[in-house]
Amino acid sequence: MNDNNSQPSIEMIKVNKFFGTFQALKNIDLEVYKGERIVICGPSGSGKSTLIRCINRLEKHNEGRINIDGIELTDKVENIDAVRREVGMVFQNFNLFPHMTIEKNLMIAQQLVRKTPKVEARKIAMQYLERVKIPEQAHKYPIQLSGGQQQRVAIARALCMNPEIILFDEPTSALDPEMINEVLDVMVDLAKEGMTMVCVTHEMGFARSVADRVIFMDEGEIVEQATPQAFFDNPANERTIKFLNQILSH
Amino acid sequence: MSFDLNLILQSLPQMLAGLGITLQLLLVSGFLGLLLAILLLLMRISGKFYLDWTAQVYIYVFRGTPILVQIFIIYYGLPQFEAIRESMFWHILREPTGCAILALTLNTGAYVSEILRGGVLSVDKGLLEAGSALGMSARQKFIYITAPLATRLSLPAYSNDVISLLKSTALASTITITDMTGIARTIVADTYAPYEIFISLAIVYMIFTFGLQKLFGVIERYLGRYTRREE
């Protein structure tokens, strides 16, 4: 818990990230405060996924500093573990463990990482499955669920760990159109409850109605950040305008 | 030429008397070989260059030489060393069966470790990222995510290797072991009827292989239960 409201939940200072000679992130400065909902958008290859993957150290940044709730991300395993206990993540391809039932998917990390006893872990798992409205699927395997259901399970799995922050990496991009809303509904609910969220998404309707701040990235840089209203109605940067025209033209 | 059915009926029970030894060679070296393979796999993926390198050299040597030559080196070669004759392993190595099991184990271990490594490398990286994001340690991810998925992914190639090992056990007959092939060779030497004897021997191996195929089919269906949409 962070009682000090002046300290950001996520703080990135002059972060650079390279893949070989390619620079994926350039001088990223970003602060996210507790309870804030951030949407990151931008063209493919602009570094938005890399940025959020640096927040829980799925990618290691090369330069600059990243602090999560005051814990600095370094090579220290204890720090990385501590950060990952605070930060949940939802992936584009769900990444549910295919060989475990839905219930087991929700229990495994609780048991291994939090050392929660089995009975308790199962109770928590069922509680979150009910929240994402699919408790009846508990004993099925992931492949037996629709994409939308799998993504809701993935969100529930992240929630079971009781994170302070949740990262969403294009959570609806792999879904058929008719399933997108059931996932967005769960995300909107989370936002209402005050979860700190960082979402990479192209769902501009979601960004407009839920985000506190929209960030536009291009070629590894944060080009523009603004409230949704300012961002969509009055974009300042040339590249933002071009991007918005491309995605909103139909 | 004539085909002596009677001779087949007479010699089949004799050859089947060697089934126990064939089975023993297969099961013992199959089991020990699997343990060795897991050890080599862990060395290969340990990230420690000296372990990885050692395993690679081992695998190269045992895949790069004929198993028959390996059997001969162990059976004829090792007893020449005083140190081995005086070691605790001598009571195993002075028996041809011990030598055959050692050679088959060392050989199959090299092949199977590469099969398992293929399985490990085929596990979806996204699942391991999900494990990391949930805070699981490298060891936990290996035990709970990589190992069960890699087992299923390696099984078809692994069953192939077990069947291959079954037929390699026939080479044990070259160092005086009376497995099914060894008995068949003795009968052929006595009767000079190679067609009848070796063809019926081949059929026995085929029946045996059929059983192994069925067994692995059952295991594959069980391990793959979560890959089917219907319940």
Side-chain angles (χ1 to χ4, degrees), chain A residues 220-239:
Chain A
E221 293 173 305
I222 293 181
V223 174
E224 182 164 354
Q225 47 180 319
T227 62
Q229 206 183 355
F231 183 82
F232 289 110
D233 300 340
N234 251 326
N237 190 289
E238 194 90 357
R239 287 191 274 179

Side-chain angles (χ1 to χ4, degrees), chain A residues 1-229:
Chain A
M1 278 299 154
N2 170 24
D3 296 320
N4 180 359
N5 279 331
S6 64
Q7 186 198 29
S9 288
I10 302 170
E11 185 180 30
M12 300 177 89
I13 305 162
K14 299 255 171 293
V15 170
N16 287 313
K17 166 73 187 166
F18 298 86
F19 291 112
T21 54
F22 174 73
Q23 185 163 10
L25 295 179
K26 295 176 190 162
N27 252 331
I28 299 292
D29 280 313
L30 176 67
E31 288 185 351
V32 179
Y33 289 88
K34 191 169 166 55
E36 256 197 309
R37 279 91 52 160
I38 309 289
V39 163
I40 304 177
C41 59
S44 149
S46 58
K48 41 195 202 308
S49 285
T50 306
L51 188 153
I52 66 167
R53 288 162 60 84
C54 281
I55 295 175
N56 66 348
R57 196 71 166 189
L58 289 184
E59 302 290 351
K60 178 177 165 179
H61 59 286
N62 302 105
E63 289 160 15
R65 280 171 48 198
I66 302 178
N67 295 312
I68 309 297
D69 273 339
I71 306 161
E72 180 167 7
L73 275 173
T74 60
D75 283 332
K76 274 172 90 177
V77 179
E78 310 89 84
N79 287 18
I80 297 172
D81 285 346
V83 165
R84 285 176 177 168
R85 275 196 290 274
E86 307 260 304
V87 182
M89 190 167 198
V90 175
F91 298 86
Q92 181 175 356
N93 295 317
F94 330 133
N95 288 340
L96 296 178
F97 305 130
H99 56 304
M100 299 179 193
T101 61
I102 299 306
E103 187 180 57
K104 191 71 193 166
N105 262 279
L106 270 62
M107 291 165 64
I108 184 84
Q110 296 187 62
Q111 291 176 273
L112 294 175
V113 180
R114 294 244 185 253
K115 312 286 177 210
T116 311
K118 196 172 181 178
V119 178
E120 175 76 9
R122 178 171 286 136
K123 223 176 82 188
I124 294 171
M126 289 311 295
Q127 191 183 314
Y128 283 106
L129 275 185
E130 271 171 41
R131 247 184 82 172
V132 299
K133 303 188 180 65
I134 34 177
E136 72 283 358
Q137 312 285 3
H139 299 290
K140 291 193 181 167
Y141 287 103
I143 197 171
Q144 298 169 320
L145 272 59
S146 71
Q149 289 174 327
Q150 289 192 48
Q151 194 59 300
R152 280 143 68 196
V153 171
I155 295 172
R157 179 174 67 176
L159 291 174
C160 279
M161 301 303 282
N162 200 18
E164 296 287 311
I165 302 162
I166 298 197
L167 310 172
F168 291 88
D169 190 2
E170 304 206 29
T172 57
S173 301
L175 295 175
D176 289 330
E178 76 273 18
M179 295 174 182
I180 290 177
N181 279 332
E182 59 186 81
V183 171
L184 290 180
D185 285 347
V186 172
M187 292 169 64
V188 170
D189 280 348
L190 270 180
K192 281 184 190 149
E193 287 161 26
M195 177 68 77
T196 311
M197 296 164 72
V198 181
C199 316
V200 171
T201 181
H202 295 120
E203 294 298 326
M204 291 301 134
F206 174 80
R208 197 184 266 274
S209 62
V210 174
D212 297 304
R213 201 170 3 138
V214 182
I215 291 175
F216 175 69
M217 289 184 71
D218 193 18
E219 296 182 348
E221 293 173 305
I222 293 181
V223 174
E224 182 164 354
Q225 47 180 319
T227 62
Q229 206 183 355

Side-chain angles (χ1 to χ4, degrees), chain B residues 58-193:
Chain B
Y58 175 88
I59 290 165
Y60 175 66
V61 168
F62 278 87
R63 291 202 304 186
T65 50
I67 174 129
L68 186 60
V69 174
Q70 293 163 16
I71 290 176
F72 286 163
I73 289 175
I74 289 172
Y75 181 67
Y76 295 115
L78 291 188
Q80 310 207 352
F81 295 96
E82 180 87 35
I84 287 186
R85 285 201 304 275
E86 280 166 8
S87 75
M88 55 189 275
F89 302 112
W90 181 237
H91 69 277
I92 298 172
L93 289 175
R94 73 174 174 210
E95 299 292 336
T97 313
C99 291
I101 285 175
L102 180 64
L104 292 169
T105 297
L106 296 178
N107 187 272
T108 192
Y111 281 93
V112 172
S113 76
E114 285 296 283
I115 289 173
L116 298 181
R117 197 171 66 91
V120 166
L121 294 179
S122 312
V123 172
D124 181 358
K125 299 287 166 293
L127 300 176
L128 300 174
E129 289 186 347
S132 299
L134 287 163
M136 291 165 73
S137 67
R139 179 187 295 255
Q140 288 169 338
K141 283 185 289 180
F142 185 80
I143 295 173
Y144 294 96
I145 303 172
T146 305
L149 293 171
T151 305
R152 176 177 68 78
L153 293 168
S154 347
L155 199 66
Y158 177 67
S159 69
N160 205 23
D161 193 82
V162 173
I163 288 169
S164 172
L165 178 64
L166 164 66
K167 281 150 324 155
S168 299
T169 61
L171 295 172
S173 67
T174 58
I175 52 171
T176 77
I177 293 174
T178 50
D179 70 324
M180 293 195 297
T181 305
I183 294 171
R185 289 175 57 185
T186 315
I187 301 173
V188 170
D190 290 345
T191 60
Y192 205 67

